[in-house]
Amino acid sequence: MSNVFQIYLAGGMQDLSFEEQNEWRERICNQIIAMRRILNVNMKEVNIINPVDYYNFQTELHDTEKEVMRFDTNFVRNSDLVVVNANDPKSIGTSMEIAIAYERHIPVLILNTEKKRLHAWWVQMSDKIFDDEKKLCTYIYDFYLKMGHCSIRSWV
């Protein structure tokens, strides 16, 4: 079991601008890092995976879409928590990331600030749905970072 708690930030990318893909991810990263710095109480290190840092539609660093898919889904499989932005509820990639996390017993938290209608399977595969970024980050801190959380994968 790792001493680093890994969080993967999933959400729509394909038809969104670079800013729409990335700004919410940066805000979540900054809020969690700030909370950890201010409220540090014997917590694990945190690694937050922003897939836009690796592959995006602004800077093409990949040769194939398969490369991107395998890269992103590998991060999902190796994460302790997946945070999903419902900025594009019809995103096939995001749906697949949710399903992979669900199948591996990795908690899924959904951020739905615009209160968009979500597919029933998104709702059923999620552990909790938030309409506010700060509440989401506080929940992550309180229930995953501050507590002595360990992944169910270590028991399976």
Side-chain angles (χ1 to χ4, degrees):
M1 189 162 153
S2 173
N3 287 331
V4 177
F5 190 85
Q6 184 161 291
I7 302 171
Y8 181 85
L9 302 177
M13 291 176 64
Q14 190 164 356
D15 294 321
L16 303 175
S17 69
F18 178 79
E19 290 74 25
E20 291 171 312
Q21 295 171 32
N22 196 51
E23 285 177 350
W24 74 270
R25 288 177 167 100
E26 291 294 324
R27 285 192 309 270
I28 297 294
C29 280
N30 291 335
Q31 286 182 57
I32 291 172
I33 290 167
M35 291 175 102
R36 189 179 186 288
R37 197 173 290 138
I38 294 167
L39 306 170
N40 188 9
V41 280
N42 297 331
M43 294 174 18
K44 284 185 171 186
E45 291 295 319
V46 179
N47 185 31
I48 303 173
I49 304 298
N50 177 351
V52 179
D53 289 343
Y54 304 96
Y55 294 112
N56 58 63
F57 298 102
Q58 188 175 26
T59 310
E60 298 231 0
L61 299 173
H62 61 284
D63 295 323
T64 66
E65 288 301 317
K66 181 179 182 178
E67 176 187 344
V68 177
M69 177 195 69
R70 301 229 348 126
F71 188 84
D72 288 349
T73 56
N74 189 49
F75 271 126
V76 171
R77 284 184 194 92
N78 291 296
S79 291
D80 298 293
L81 177 67
V82 174
V83 173
V84 177
N85 188 342
N87 57 354
D88 182 8
K90 295 188 184 327
S91 169
I92 291 172
T94 304
S95 295
M96 293 181 79
E97 291 167 341
I98 291 169
I100 290 167
Y102 180 79
E103 284 296 309
R104 294 187 61 96
H105 305 281
I106 300 166
V108 174
L109 305 179
I110 296 179
L111 176 63
N112 190 8
T113 57
E114 297 174 23
K115 298 182 179 165
K116 292 183 178 182
R117 187 170 186 268
L118 304 179
H119 191 282
W121 286 19
W122 275 38
V123 174
Q124 294 306 312
M125 289 186 194
S126 70
D127 292 85
K128 196 163 174 77
I129 299 173
F130 296 85
D131 61 8
D132 180 82
E133 282 182 14
K134 186 164 178 41
K135 288 178 184 174
L136 166 71
C137 292
T138 300
Y139 183 85
I140 292 169
Y141 176 79
D142 288 343
F143 289 89
Y144 292 98
L145 302 180
K146 188 169 70 172
M147 296 178 77
H149 173 76
C150 71
S151 173
I152 192 168
R153 287 178 286 138
S154 64
W155 303 331
V156 178

PDB file of all heavy atoms in Angstrom, residues 57-92:
ATOM      1  N   PHE A  57      -5.931  18.936 -26.279  1.00  0.00           N
ATOM      2  CA  PHE A  57      -6.184  19.192 -27.693  1.00  0.00           C
ATOM      3  C   PHE A  57      -5.467  20.443 -28.182  1.00  0.00           C
ATOM      4  O   PHE A  57      -5.539  20.791 -29.341  1.00  0.00           O
ATOM      5  CB  PHE A  57      -7.693  19.287 -27.942  1.00  0.00           C
ATOM      6  CG  PHE A  57      -8.404  18.002 -27.614  1.00  0.00           C
ATOM      7  CD1 PHE A  57      -9.111  17.853 -26.436  1.00  0.00           C
ATOM      8  CD2 PHE A  57      -8.337  16.920 -28.475  1.00  0.00           C
ATOM      9  CE1 PHE A  57      -9.754  16.660 -26.122  1.00  0.00           C
ATOM     10  CE2 PHE A  57      -8.963  15.722 -28.181  1.00  0.00           C
ATOM     11  CZ  PHE A  57      -9.685  15.596 -27.001  1.00  0.00           C
ATOM     12  N   GLN A  58      -4.760  21.128 -27.295  1.00  0.00           N
ATOM     13  CA  GLN A  58      -4.011  22.324 -27.656  1.00  0.00           C
ATOM     14  C   GLN A  58      -2.598  21.955 -28.121  1.00  0.00           C
ATOM     15  O   GLN A  58      -2.107  22.482 -29.105  1.00  0.00           O
ATOM     16  CB  GLN A  58      -3.954  23.269 -26.455  1.00  0.00           C
ATOM     17  CG  GLN A  58      -3.376  24.624 -26.768  1.00  0.00           C
ATOM     18  CD  GLN A  58      -3.468  25.540 -25.551  1.00  0.00           C
ATOM     19  OE1 GLN A  58      -3.495  25.095 -24.415  1.00  0.00           O
ATOM     20  NE2 GLN A  58      -3.504  26.835 -25.803  1.00  0.00           N
ATOM     21  N   THR A  59      -1.956  21.054 -27.408  1.00  0.00           N
ATOM     22  CA  THR A  59      -0.610  20.607 -27.738  1.00  0.00           C
ATOM     23  C   THR A  59      -0.666  19.112 -27.994  1.00  0.00           C
ATOM     24  O   THR A  59      -0.852  18.335 -27.065  1.00  0.00           O
ATOM     25  CB  THR A  59       0.364  20.869 -26.560  1.00  0.00           C
ATOM     26  OG1 THR A  59       0.224  22.221 -26.143  1.00  0.00           O
ATOM     27  CG2 THR A  59       1.795  20.593 -26.966  1.00  0.00           C
ATOM     28  N   GLU A  60      -0.555  18.706 -29.234  1.00  0.00           N
ATOM     29  CA  GLU A  60      -0.648  17.285 -29.580  1.00  0.00           C
ATOM     30  C   GLU A  60       0.677  16.594 -29.328  1.00  0.00           C
ATOM     31  O   GLU A  60       1.615  16.714 -30.102  1.00  0.00           O
ATOM     32  CB  GLU A  60      -1.095  17.129 -31.034  1.00  0.00           C
ATOM     33  CG  GLU A  60      -2.473  17.709 -31.271  1.00  0.00           C
ATOM     34  CD  GLU A  60      -3.402  16.745 -31.979  1.00  0.00           C
ATOM     35  OE1 GLU A  60      -2.995  15.625 -32.293  1.00  0.00           O
ATOM     36  OE2 GLU A  60      -4.549  17.143 -32.202  1.00  0.00           O
ATOM     37  N   LEU A  61       0.748  15.855 -28.227  1.00  0.00           N
ATOM     38  CA  LEU A  61       1.959  15.134 -27.860  1.00  0.00           C
ATOM     39  C   LEU A  61       1.840  13.640 -28.160  1.00  0.00           C
ATOM     40  O   LEU A  61       2.791  12.895 -27.976  1.00  0.00           O
ATOM     41  CB  LEU A  61       2.250  15.314 -26.366  1.00  0.00           C
ATOM     42  CG  LEU A  61       2.484  16.747 -25.895  1.00  0.00           C
ATOM     43  CD1 LEU A  61       2.591  16.798 -24.373  1.00  0.00           C
ATOM     44  CD2 LEU A  61       3.736  17.312 -26.534  1.00  0.00           C
ATOM     45  N   HIS A  62       0.680  13.209 -28.603  1.00  0.00           N
ATOM     46  CA  HIS A  62       0.432  11.782 -28.799  1.00  0.00           C
ATOM     47  C   HIS A  62       0.399  11.417 -30.277  1.00  0.00           C
ATOM     48  O   HIS A  62       0.171  12.266 -31.135  1.00  0.00           O
ATOM     49  CB  HIS A  62      -0.887  11.388 -28.135  1.00  0.00           C
ATOM     50  CG  HIS A  62      -2.078  12.107 -28.691  1.00  0.00           C
ATOM     51  ND1 HIS A  62      -2.365  13.419 -28.379  1.00  0.00           N
ATOM     52  CD2 HIS A  62      -3.037  11.697 -29.548  1.00  0.00           C
ATOM     53  CE1 HIS A  62      -3.468  13.782 -29.016  1.00  0.00           C
ATOM     54  NE2 HIS A  62      -3.885  12.762 -29.726  1.00  0.00           N
ATOM     55  N   ASP A  63       0.649  10.141 -30.540  1.00  0.00           N
ATOM     56  CA  ASP A  63       0.587   9.634 -31.908  1.00  0.00           C
ATOM     57  C   ASP A  63      -0.777   9.048 -32.228  1.00  0.00           C
ATOM     58  O   ASP A  63      -1.247   9.133 -33.360  1.00  0.00           O
ATOM     59  CB  ASP A  63       1.663   8.555 -32.124  1.00  0.00           C
ATOM     60  CG  ASP A  63       3.076   9.125 -32.017  1.00  0.00           C
ATOM     61  OD1 ASP A  63       3.289  10.272 -32.460  1.00  0.00           O
ATOM     62  OD2 ASP A  63       3.947   8.420 -31.481  1.00  0.00           O
ATOM     63  N   THR A  64      -1.415   8.425 -31.214  1.00  0.00           N
ATOM     64  CA  THR A  64      -2.721   7.792 -31.434  1.00  0.00           C
ATOM     65  C   THR A  64      -3.641   8.078 -30.260  1.00  0.00           C
ATOM     66  O   THR A  64      -3.187   8.371 -29.151  1.00  0.00           O
ATOM     67  CB  THR A  64      -2.584   6.259 -31.572  1.00  0.00           C
ATOM     68  OG1 THR A  64      -2.140   5.723 -30.319  1.00  0.00           O
ATOM     69  CG2 THR A  64      -1.602   5.875 -32.685  1.00  0.00           C
ATOM     70  N   GLU A  65      -4.937   7.948 -30.512  1.00  0.00           N
ATOM     71  CA  GLU A  65      -5.917   8.080 -29.438  1.00  0.00           C
ATOM     72  C   GLU A  65      -5.799   6.918 -28.456  1.00  0.00           C
ATOM     73  O   GLU A  65      -6.074   7.075 -27.266  1.00  0.00           O
ATOM     74  CB  GLU A  65      -7.337   8.166 -29.997  1.00  0.00           C
ATOM     75  CG  GLU A  65      -7.635   9.485 -30.690  1.00  0.00           C
ATOM     76  CD  GLU A  65      -7.463  10.689 -29.773  1.00  0.00           C
ATOM     77  OE1 GLU A  65      -7.894  10.635 -28.608  1.00  0.00           O
ATOM     78  OE2 GLU A  65      -6.897  11.693 -30.229  1.00  0.00           O
ATOM     79  N   LYS A  66      -5.376   5.758 -28.938  1.00  0.00           N
ATOM     80  CA  LYS A  66      -5.175   4.603 -28.053  1.00  0.00           C
ATOM     81  C   LYS A  66      -4.133   4.934 -26.987  1.00  0.00           C
ATOM     82  O   LYS A  66      -4.288   4.561 -25.821  1.00  0.00           O
ATOM     83  CB  LYS A  66      -4.736   3.390 -28.860  1.00  0.00           C
ATOM     84  CG  LYS A  66      -4.522   2.159 -28.011  1.00  0.00           C
ATOM     85  CD  LYS A  66      -4.108   0.968 -28.858  1.00  0.00           C
ATOM     86  CE  LYS A  66      -3.938  -0.265 -27.978  1.00  0.00           C
ATOM     87  NZ  LYS A  66      -3.585  -1.440 -28.776  1.00  0.00           N
ATOM     88  N   GLU A  67      -3.084   5.637 -27.383  1.00  0.00           N
ATOM     89  CA  GLU A  67      -2.040   6.043 -26.431  1.00  0.00           C
ATOM     90  C   GLU A  67      -2.637   6.875 -25.306  1.00  0.00           C
ATOM     91  O   GLU A  67      -2.355   6.641 -24.125  1.00  0.00           O
ATOM     92  CB  GLU A  67      -0.973   6.830 -27.182  1.00  0.00           C
ATOM     93  CG  GLU A  67       0.121   7.408 -26.341  1.00  0.00           C
ATOM     94  CD  GLU A  67       1.052   8.309 -27.148  1.00  0.00           C
ATOM     95  OE1 GLU A  67       1.054   8.273 -28.392  1.00  0.00           O
ATOM     96  OE2 GLU A  67       1.785   9.091 -26.503  1.00  0.00           O
ATOM     97  N   VAL A  68      -3.469   7.831 -25.655  1.00  0.00           N
ATOM     98  CA  VAL A  68      -4.107   8.707 -24.663  1.00  0.00           C
ATOM     99  C   VAL A  68      -5.039   7.892 -23.770  1.00  0.00           C
ATOM    100  O   VAL A  68      -5.008   8.014 -22.541  1.00  0.00           O
ATOM    101  CB  VAL A  68      -4.883   9.851 -25.347  1.00  0.00           C
ATOM    102  CG1 VAL A  68      -5.607  10.709 -24.324  1.00  0.00           C
ATOM    103  CG2 VAL A  68      -3.963  10.684 -26.215  1.00  0.00           C
ATOM    104  N   MET A  69      -5.859   7.055 -24.385  1.00  0.00           N
ATOM    105  CA  MET A  69      -6.814   6.240 -23.628  1.00  0.00           C
ATOM    106  C   MET A  69      -6.089   5.346 -22.625  1.00  0.00           C
ATOM    107  O   MET A  69      -6.464   5.288 -21.454  1.00  0.00           O
ATOM    108  CB  MET A  69      -7.649   5.378 -24.580  1.00  0.00           C
ATOM    109  CG  MET A  69      -8.613   4.452 -23.865  1.00  0.00           C
ATOM    110  SD  MET A  69      -9.281   3.152 -24.918  1.00  0.00           S
ATOM    111  CE  MET A  69      -7.824   2.132 -25.186  1.00  0.00           C
ATOM    112  N   ARG A  70      -5.050   4.667 -23.065  1.00  0.00           N
ATOM    113  CA  ARG A  70      -4.324   3.750 -22.167  1.00  0.00           C
ATOM    114  C   ARG A  70      -3.618   4.519 -21.058  1.00  0.00           C
ATOM    115  O   ARG A  70      -3.578   4.080 -19.918  1.00  0.00           O
ATOM    116  CB  ARG A  70      -3.343   2.888 -22.959  1.00  0.00           C
ATOM    117  CG  ARG A  70      -4.050   2.083 -24.001  1.00  0.00           C
ATOM    118  CD  ARG A  70      -3.806   0.640 -24.153  1.00  0.00           C
ATOM    119  NE  ARG A  70      -2.693   0.076 -23.454  1.00  0.00           N
ATOM    120  CZ  ARG A  70      -2.812  -0.964 -22.645  1.00  0.00           C
ATOM    121  NH1 ARG A  70      -3.995  -1.491 -22.426  1.00  0.00           N
ATOM    122  NH2 ARG A  70      -1.765  -1.490 -22.069  1.00  0.00           N
ATOM    123  N   PHE A  71      -3.085   5.674 -21.389  1.00  0.00           N
ATOM    124  CA  PHE A  71      -2.403   6.513 -20.399  1.00  0.00           C
ATOM    125  C   PHE A  71      -3.385   6.952 -19.312  1.00  0.00           C
ATOM    126  O   PHE A  71      -3.135   6.781 -18.117  1.00  0.00           O
ATOM    127  CB  PHE A  71      -1.789   7.722 -21.106  1.00  0.00           C
ATOM    128  CG  PHE A  71      -0.895   8.560 -20.255  1.00  0.00           C
ATOM    129  CD1 PHE A  71       0.444   8.222 -20.076  1.00  0.00           C
ATOM    130  CD2 PHE A  71      -1.370   9.715 -19.661  1.00  0.00           C
ATOM    131  CE1 PHE A  71       1.286   9.011 -19.295  1.00  0.00           C
ATOM    132  CE2 PHE A  71      -0.537  10.512 -18.882  1.00  0.00           C
ATOM    133  CZ  PHE A  71       0.792  10.151 -18.704  1.00  0.00           C
ATOM    134  N   ASP A  72      -4.517   7.512 -19.730  1.00  0.00           N
ATOM    135  CA  ASP A  72      -5.513   8.008 -18.777  1.00  0.00           C
ATOM    136  C   ASP A  72      -6.140   6.878 -17.961  1.00  0.00           C
ATOM    137  O   ASP A  72      -6.281   6.992 -16.733  1.00  0.00           O
ATOM    138  CB  ASP A  72      -6.612   8.795 -19.494  1.00  0.00           C
ATOM    139  CG  ASP A  72      -6.140  10.151 -19.997  1.00  0.00           C
ATOM    140  OD1 ASP A  72      -5.034  10.584 -19.616  1.00  0.00           O
ATOM    141  OD2 ASP A  72      -6.880  10.782 -20.773  1.00  0.00           O
ATOM    142  N   THR A  73      -6.532   5.793 -18.610  1.00  0.00           N
ATOM    143  CA  THR A  73      -7.200   4.718 -17.877  1.00  0.00           C
ATOM    144  C   THR A  73      -6.235   4.016 -16.912  1.00  0.00           C
ATOM    145  O   THR A  73      -6.667   3.525 -15.871  1.00  0.00           O
ATOM    146  CB  THR A  73      -7.868   3.692 -18.825  1.00  0.00           C
ATOM    147  OG1 THR A  73      -6.898   3.164 -19.737  1.00  0.00           O
ATOM    148  CG2 THR A  73      -9.014   4.341 -19.593  1.00  0.00           C
ATOM    149  N   ASN A  74      -4.964   4.002 -17.226  1.00  0.00           N
ATOM    150  CA  ASN A  74      -3.979   3.452 -16.286  1.00  0.00           C
ATOM    151  C   ASN A  74      -3.925   4.301 -15.016  1.00  0.00           C
ATOM    152  O   ASN A  74      -3.842   3.770 -13.909  1.00  0.00           O
ATOM    153  CB  ASN A  74      -2.604   3.360 -16.936  1.00  0.00           C
ATOM    154  CG  ASN A  74      -1.625   2.607 -16.061  1.00  0.00           C
ATOM    155  OD1 ASN A  74      -1.912   1.530 -15.570  1.00  0.00           O
ATOM    156  ND2 ASN A  74      -0.466   3.195 -15.845  1.00  0.00           N
ATOM    157  N   PHE A  75      -3.990   5.620 -15.174  1.00  0.00           N
ATOM    158  CA  PHE A  75      -4.020   6.488 -13.992  1.00  0.00           C
ATOM    159  C   PHE A  75      -5.289   6.245 -13.173  1.00  0.00           C
ATOM    160  O   PHE A  75      -5.238   6.226 -11.945  1.00  0.00           O
ATOM    161  CB  PHE A  75      -3.929   7.968 -14.377  1.00  0.00           C
ATOM    162  CG  PHE A  75      -2.525   8.482 -14.475  1.00  0.00           C
ATOM    163  CD1 PHE A  75      -2.090   9.103 -15.627  1.00  0.00           C
ATOM    164  CD2 PHE A  75      -1.633   8.367 -13.417  1.00  0.00           C
ATOM    165  CE1 PHE A  75      -0.789   9.593 -15.722  1.00  0.00           C
ATOM    166  CE2 PHE A  75      -0.337   8.854 -13.501  1.00  0.00           C
ATOM    167  CZ  PHE A  75       0.086   9.465 -14.659  1.00  0.00           C
ATOM    168  N   VAL A  76      -6.426   6.070 -13.845  1.00  0.00           N
ATOM    169  CA  VAL A  76      -7.672   5.788 -13.122  1.00  0.00           C
ATOM    170  C   VAL A  76      -7.514   4.511 -12.306  1.00  0.00           C
ATOM    171  O   VAL A  76      -7.823   4.476 -11.109  1.00  0.00           O
ATOM    172  CB  VAL A  76      -8.874   5.669 -14.087  1.00  0.00           C
ATOM    173  CG1 VAL A  76     -10.113   5.151 -13.365  1.00  0.00           C
ATOM    174  CG2 VAL A  76      -9.173   7.006 -14.761  1.00  0.00           C
ATOM    175  N   ARG A  77      -7.031   3.450 -12.931  1.00  0.00           N
ATOM    176  CA  ARG A  77      -6.872   2.148 -12.263  1.00  0.00           C
ATOM    177  C   ARG A  77      -5.954   2.218 -11.039  1.00  0.00           C
ATOM    178  O   ARG A  77      -6.083   1.421 -10.125  1.00  0.00           O
ATOM    179  CB  ARG A  77      -6.321   1.114 -13.237  1.00  0.00           C
ATOM    180  CG  ARG A  77      -7.318   0.592 -14.211  1.00  0.00           C
ATOM    181  CD  ARG A  77      -6.721  -0.511 -15.093  1.00  0.00           C
ATOM    182  NE  ARG A  77      -7.604  -0.752 -16.208  1.00  0.00           N
ATOM    183  CZ  ARG A  77      -7.503  -0.136 -17.385  1.00  0.00           C
ATOM    184  NH1 ARG A  77      -6.526   0.713 -17.618  1.00  0.00           N
ATOM    185  NH2 ARG A  77      -8.361  -0.400 -18.334  1.00  0.00           N
ATOM    186  N   ASN A  78      -5.017   3.143 -11.064  1.00  0.00           N
ATOM    187  CA  ASN A  78      -4.041   3.236  -9.984  1.00  0.00           C
ATOM    188  C   ASN A  78      -4.317   4.380  -9.022  1.00  0.00           C
ATOM    189  O   ASN A  78      -3.444   4.759  -8.239  1.00  0.00           O
ATOM    190  CB  ASN A  78      -2.630   3.349 -10.575  1.00  0.00           C
ATOM    191  CG  ASN A  78      -2.224   2.045 -11.226  1.00  0.00           C
ATOM    192  OD1 ASN A  78      -2.092   1.033 -10.555  1.00  0.00           O
ATOM    193  ND2 ASN A  78      -2.088   2.060 -12.536  1.00  0.00           N
ATOM    194  N   SER A  79      -5.529   4.914  -9.065  1.00  0.00           N
ATOM    195  CA  SER A  79      -5.903   6.008  -8.171  1.00  0.00           C
ATOM    196  C   SER A  79      -6.678   5.482  -6.972  1.00  0.00           C
ATOM    197  O   SER A  79      -7.236   4.384  -7.001  1.00  0.00           O
ATOM    198  CB  SER A  79      -6.752   7.045  -8.925  1.00  0.00           C
ATOM    199  OG  SER A  79      -5.949   7.719  -9.871  1.00  0.00           O
ATOM    200  N   ASP A  80      -6.698   6.284  -5.924  1.00  0.00           N
ATOM    201  CA  ASP A  80      -7.459   5.961  -4.723  1.00  0.00           C
ATOM    202  C   ASP A  80      -8.824   6.633  -4.722  1.00  0.00           C
ATOM    203  O   ASP A  80      -9.707   6.253  -3.958  1.00  0.00           O
ATOM    204  CB  ASP A  80      -6.677   6.413  -3.478  1.00  0.00           C
ATOM    205  CG  ASP A  80      -5.356   5.695  -3.371  1.00  0.00           C
ATOM    206  OD1 ASP A  80      -5.361   4.471  -3.157  1.00  0.00           O
ATOM    207  OD2 ASP A  80      -4.304   6.350  -3.512  1.00  0.00           O
ATOM    208  N   LEU A  81      -8.972   7.646  -5.573  1.00  0.00           N
ATOM    209  CA  LEU A  81     -10.206   8.422  -5.651  1.00  0.00           C
ATOM    210  C   LEU A  81     -10.282   9.039  -7.035  1.00  0.00           C
ATOM    211  O   LEU A  81      -9.267   9.492  -7.572  1.00  0.00           O
ATOM    212  CB  LEU A  81     -10.195   9.532  -4.592  1.00  0.00           C
ATOM    213  CG  LEU A  81     -11.364  10.503  -4.565  1.00  0.00           C
ATOM    214  CD1 LEU A  81     -12.664   9.794  -4.155  1.00  0.00           C
ATOM    215  CD2 LEU A  81     -11.081  11.658  -3.602  1.00  0.00           C
ATOM    216  N   VAL A  82     -11.490   9.061  -7.616  1.00  0.00           N
ATOM    217  CA  VAL A  82     -11.710   9.723  -8.896  1.00  0.00           C
ATOM    218  C   VAL A  82     -12.737  10.828  -8.682  1.00  0.00           C
ATOM    219  O   VAL A  82     -13.816  10.589  -8.143  1.00  0.00           O
ATOM    220  CB  VAL A  82     -12.196   8.734  -9.987  1.00  0.00           C
ATOM    221  CG1 VAL A  82     -12.568   9.461 -11.266  1.00  0.00           C
ATOM    222  CG2 VAL A  82     -11.121   7.679 -10.256  1.00  0.00           C
ATOM    223  N   VAL A  83     -12.355  12.045  -9.071  1.00  0.00           N
ATOM    224  CA  VAL A  83     -13.254  13.193  -9.006  1.00  0.00           C
ATOM    225  C   VAL A  83     -13.672  13.507 -10.439  1.00  0.00           C
ATOM    226  O   VAL A  83     -12.823  13.681 -11.320  1.00  0.00           O
ATOM    227  CB  VAL A  83     -12.557  14.418  -8.369  1.00  0.00           C
ATOM    228  CG1 VAL A  83     -13.452  15.647  -8.456  1.00  0.00           C
ATOM    229  CG2 VAL A  83     -12.185  14.116  -6.922  1.00  0.00           C
ATOM    230  N   VAL A  84     -14.979  13.563 -10.663  1.00  0.00           N
ATOM    231  CA  VAL A  84     -15.525  13.765 -12.003  1.00  0.00           C
ATOM    232  C   VAL A  84     -16.247  15.095 -12.066  1.00  0.00           C
ATOM    233  O   VAL A  84     -17.103  15.377 -11.229  1.00  0.00           O
ATOM    234  CB  VAL A  84     -16.530  12.641 -12.363  1.00  0.00           C
ATOM    235  CG1 VAL A  84     -17.156  12.882 -13.726  1.00  0.00           C
ATOM    236  CG2 VAL A  84     -15.853  11.284 -12.301  1.00  0.00           C
ATOM    237  N   ASN A  85     -15.914  15.901 -13.076  1.00  0.00           N
ATOM    238  CA  ASN A  85     -16.678  17.122 -13.330  1.00  0.00           C
ATOM    239  C   ASN A  85     -17.745  16.773 -14.367  1.00  0.00           C
ATOM    240  O   ASN A  85     -17.430  16.233 -15.431  1.00  0.00           O
ATOM    241  CB  ASN A  85     -15.767  18.234 -13.857  1.00  0.00           C
ATOM    242  CG  ASN A  85     -16.487  19.567 -13.949  1.00  0.00           C
ATOM    243  OD1 ASN A  85     -17.711  19.633 -13.942  1.00  0.00           O
ATOM    244  ND2 ASN A  85     -15.720  20.630 -14.040  1.00  0.00           N
ATOM    245  N   ALA A  86     -18.983  17.089 -14.072  1.00  0.00           N
ATOM    246  CA  ALA A  86     -20.091  16.818 -14.989  1.00  0.00           C
ATOM    247  C   ALA A  86     -20.223  17.932 -16.024  1.00  0.00           C
ATOM    248  O   ALA A  86     -21.320  18.235 -16.470  1.00  0.00           O
ATOM    249  CB  ALA A  86     -21.388  16.654 -14.198  1.00  0.00           C
ATOM    250  N   ASN A  87     -19.090  18.525 -16.417  1.00  0.00           N
ATOM    251  CA  ASN A  87     -19.125  19.606 -17.401  1.00  0.00           C
ATOM    252  C   ASN A  87     -19.548  19.108 -18.784  1.00  0.00           C
ATOM    253  O   ASN A  87     -19.967  19.886 -19.619  1.00  0.00           O
ATOM    254  CB  ASN A  87     -17.764  20.313 -17.485  1.00  0.00           C
ATOM    255  CG  ASN A  87     -16.617  19.378 -17.832  1.00  0.00           C
ATOM    256  OD1 ASN A  87     -16.772  18.168 -17.921  1.00  0.00           O
ATOM    257  ND2 ASN A  87     -15.441  19.950 -18.002  1.00  0.00           N
ATOM    258  N   ASP A  88     -19.428  17.803 -19.041  1.00  0.00           N
ATOM    259  CA  ASP A  88     -19.873  17.211 -20.302  1.00  0.00           C
ATOM    260  C   ASP A  88     -20.436  15.826 -20.009  1.00  0.00           C
ATOM    261  O   ASP A  88     -19.751  14.820 -20.173  1.00  0.00           O
ATOM    262  CB  ASP A  88     -18.707  17.131 -21.293  1.00  0.00           C
ATOM    263  CG  ASP A  88     -19.129  16.576 -22.641  1.00  0.00           C
ATOM    264  OD1 ASP A  88     -20.349  16.387 -22.876  1.00  0.00           O
ATOM    265  OD2 ASP A  88     -18.236  16.307 -23.468  1.00  0.00           O
ATOM    266  N   PRO A  89     -21.693  15.747 -19.541  1.00  0.00           N
ATOM    267  CA  PRO A  89     -22.261  14.472 -19.118  1.00  0.00           C
ATOM    268  C   PRO A  89     -22.382  13.427 -20.229  1.00  0.00           C
ATOM    269  O   PRO A  89     -22.649  12.273 -19.958  1.00  0.00           O
ATOM    270  CB  PRO A  89     -23.648  14.839 -18.591  1.00  0.00           C
ATOM    271  CG  PRO A  89     -23.649  16.297 -18.401  1.00  0.00           C
ATOM    272  CD  PRO A  89     -22.602  16.862 -19.313  1.00  0.00           C
ATOM    273  N   LYS A  90     -22.185  13.828 -21.478  1.00  0.00           N
ATOM    274  CA  LYS A  90     -22.266  12.880 -22.583  1.00  0.00           C
ATOM    275  C   LYS A  90     -20.885  12.370 -23.015  1.00  0.00           C
ATOM    276  O   LYS A  90     -20.760  11.629 -23.986  1.00  0.00           O
ATOM    277  CB  LYS A  90     -22.994  13.513 -23.768  1.00  0.00           C
ATOM    278  CG  LYS A  90     -24.452  13.832 -23.457  1.00  0.00           C
ATOM    279  CD  LYS A  90     -25.201  14.261 -24.685  1.00  0.00           C
ATOM    280  CE  LYS A  90     -26.609  14.693 -24.492  1.00  0.00           C
ATOM    281  NZ  LYS A  90     -27.411  14.124 -23.500  1.00  0.00           N
ATOM    282  N   SER A  91     -19.849  12.743 -22.277  1.00  0.00           N
ATOM    283  CA  SER A  91     -18.484  12.333 -22.607  1.00  0.00           C
ATOM    284  C   SER A  91     -18.314  10.829 -22.454  1.00  0.00           C
ATOM    285  O   SER A  91     -18.468  10.278 -21.368  1.00  0.00           O
ATOM    286  CB  SER A  91     -17.484  13.063 -21.701  1.00  0.00           C
ATOM    287  OG  SER A  91     -16.202  12.499 -21.839  1.00  0.00           O
ATOM    288  N   ILE A  92     -17.968  10.171 -23.546  1.00  0.00           N
ATOM    289  CA  ILE A  92     -17.759   8.728 -23.514  1.00  0.00           C
ATOM    290  C   ILE A  92     -16.522   8.392 -22.691  1.00  0.00           C
ATOM    291  O   ILE A  92     -16.531   7.446 -21.896  1.00  0.00           O
ATOM    292  CB  ILE A  92     -17.662   8.167 -24.947  1.00  0.00           C
ATOM    293  CG1 ILE A  92     -19.023   8.275 -25.609  1.00  0.00           C
ATOM    294  CG2 ILE A  92     -17.158   6.733 -24.943  1.00  0.00           C
ATOM    295  CD1 ILE A  92     -19.047   7.951 -27.076  1.00  0.00           C
TER     296      ILE A  92
END
